[in-house]
Amino acid sequence: MNSPIQRQSRPVVSPGLRNLLRIMLTGIVLILLNSVYLVTVTVMEQIQSTLLQDEIYQFQFLGHLALGLLLVIPVIVYGVMHGLRAWRRPNRNAIRAGVATMILAIIVLISGILLMRGLPWFEVSRPDFRRGLYWMHVAIPLLVIWLFTLHRLAGRRLKWGAGFLVAVLMIAVMIWTVMRYQPDQTLRTSQIRFEPSLAVLEADSLIDSSALMDNDFCAECHQDVHDTWETSVHHLASFNNPAYEFSVLNTRQAFLERDGNVIASRFCAACHDPAPLFSGEYDDPAFSRATHPSANAGITCLGCHAITSINGHRGNGEYSLSLPADYPFADSQSSWLKWLNRTAIKAKPGMHQQSLLKPFHKEPEFCAVCHKVSLTPDVNNYHWLRGQNHYDAYHLSGVSGHGITSFYYPPQAIDNCQTCHMKPQPSDEFGSRYIDGQLAVHDHQFPAANTAIPAIKGASDAVLAKYREFLDQSVTLDLVGIRRNGQIDGELIPLTEKALMLDGVEEAVLLELVVRTKSLGHVFTQGTADSNQVWIEVTVRDA
């Protein structure tokens, strides 16, 4: 058995541990410098109110994840072995500070692992819990540095030179980061226009239609949103909608005969077919479901979320679109690199969120870019004519809080389209957040209009039920009575409480009724005047 003197003489850091310590400290210094860069960018984003997470930032963040994972085993091994050697030493202050340093260091590593997401077996998705983990991961390292300094001050003489060098490097990284991310005063001027629509592509050249059609990529994290979008009329906005297909094919044929090309039909494509429009495929006179897969795309995820600005209130697709910046390895075919890409998005979704979800996505003006239409002379060779206009009708209604009827209907104004058409639905998917006390996402089925198109496309009973529930009690039809002789100024025979008595009436009659919208922010019927017809079924029975 070793004597107390022998135990005392055994060094608390063996040659092997010293080598491990050097490796560990090198990794810690690198991750410190890396963290200074990441934190400085985050602070500058808050100051400038803009996104600064470029490609360098993304690779730095991946480096942060890699360094953190590589440090887990060395830190634990060194801490345990060093602690066993030092535990019985008489310098209790050094031991207490060392144990506290070790515990907090492990908490930092664990919080970093929990923040990663995408790892096997578990994934922390609750926003409030993740927020707490983030601040632990940011703040506790400062305590670790302080406790480690106390630990060393209580033991052997501390070498201040190395610490001073690290501090200088950290300041240098901070200064370099601040200088690199100064506000860019240059304006991007490369734009491609698609007249007669008002859509603008912010790019140097046309883009491949597949770039706007990768909905499966979005579904990997947003499955609930994708499932509701898949049964929406937005998804069925293109040639996969038989009513639109019939109309647009005839329109394109008329333009081909009139102009010798189908360029004027871009007027339709800005809202119904963004994927083939921005790729140039739509300009092919033979464009169809048989010749181009993009004819089935409809309004895809990026068809809305890649829009970068709303350029006016005229409708007709008056927006600008630009492909969002990718995280590293987005186009890789390697399963390992694909996993790394998804992990980076989940662990640091800031760039993803800011580039794909913008403030105007919550405004009625965003919906108006397509739900407000006018026919222009270069389309009809005639003059300007109003088409559908949900936007102005909404603002004039009581629902918006801007119309005169807002004095009595509804009790609480609704200041955007999304409140009605994108109601929250319970979900714990990646993009969920707390809405009215529960984790939810916004419904992307956009129930409205009618059940015709979903029914034609074979939608399930559950999908059709959501449309019916949305429309139930939205319009009332009050039967007032009949006008004799089938004339507006004919004698009015009013409807009694029990029945409309037609005894002795042999001539044609005019049915008089009142249609009133009850829960709509639009007139009845809204939409394109040449395609919307209202059919009323009346049953007449003998007494």
Side-chain angles (χ1 to χ4, degrees), residues 5 25 69 116 235 241 331 334 349 361 391 394 501 520:
I5 296 176
L25 288 177
L69 290 174
M116 282 185 65
H235 180 205
N241 177 330
D331 299 323
S334 164
H361 280 115
Y391 177 70
Y394 157 75
M501 305 305 295
L520 303 181

Side-chain angles (χ1 to χ4, degrees), residues 211-449:
L212 291 177
M213 293 170 58
D214 195 3
N215 304 307
D216 291 339
F217 178 87
C218 304
E220 291 181 25
C221 295
H222 302 288
Q223 187 63 58
D224 291 340
V225 167
H226 180 270
D227 287 348
T228 54
W229 165 83
E230 201 162 32
T231 60
S232 72
V233 179
H234 276 180
H235 180 205
L236 302 174
S238 184
F239 287 55
N240 53 1
N241 177 330
Y244 172 74
E245 181 183 39
F246 175 84
S247 176
V248 77
L249 285 177
N250 280 280
T251 299
R252 286 166 62 84
Q253 181 60 37
F255 285 141
L256 185 62
E257 294 171 359
R258 187 191 78 180
D259 304 332
N261 58 59
V262 294
I263 298 300
S265 67
R266 290 174 173 176
F267 162 81
C268 311
C271 291
H272 288 270
D273 295 282
L277 174 69
F278 295 124
S279 68
E281 295 172 349
Y282 197 83
D283 292 345
D284 179 3
F287 180 81
S288 68
R289 286 192 289 167
T291 58
H292 294 81
S294 59
N296 290 308
I299 303 170
T300 62
C301 303
L302 289 183
C304 279
H305 288 281
I307 291 177
T308 55
S309 65
I310 306 304
N311 301 325
H313 298 164
R314 292 178 293 176
N316 287 16
E318 194 171 11
Y319 62 84
S320 294
L321 180 143
S322 176
L323 290 179
D326 285 327
Y327 281 67
F329 314 119
D331 299 323
S332 175
Q333 299 303 310
S334 164
S335 58
W336 160 249
L337 292 178
K338 280 184 177 180
W339 174 84
L340 203 59
N341 171 263
R342 277 43 163 194
T343 300
I345 295 174
K346 288 184 172 185
K348 194 68 172 179
M351 185 180 81
H352 185 69
Q353 291 171 333
Q354 291 191 43
S355 60
L356 295 177
L357 188 59
K358 305 172 185 70
F360 61 70
H361 280 115
K362 302 176 182 179
E363 302 298 330
E365 287 72 26
F366 174 66
C367 304
V369 295
C370 285
H371 289 274
K372 181 175 180 178
V373 178
S374 58
L375 298 177
T376 55
D378 48 359
V379 172
N380 60 16
N381 271 1
Y382 182 44
H383 57 69
W384 187 93
L385 294 172
R386 167 59 68 206
Q388 65 163 315
N389 185 358
H390 292 79
Y391 177 70
D392 291 330
Y394 157 75
H395 275 296
L396 290 171
S397 74
V399 172
S400 69
H402 296 290
I404 189 66
T405 51
S406 298
F407 282 107
Y408 58 89
Y409 168 78
Q412 181 67 42
I414 299 172
D415 61 3
N416 62 29
C417 313
Q418 294 82 346
T419 298
C420 287
H421 295 290
M422 299 184 72
K423 292 185 181 296
Q425 61 174 24
S427 171
D428 60 356
E429 68 164 42
F430 177 71
S432 63
R433 62 184 180 87
Y434 282 103
I435 303 175
D436 297 330
Q438 68 174 346
L439 282 175
V441 295
H442 288 286
D443 188 349
H444 280 61
Q445 184 175 315
F446 308 98

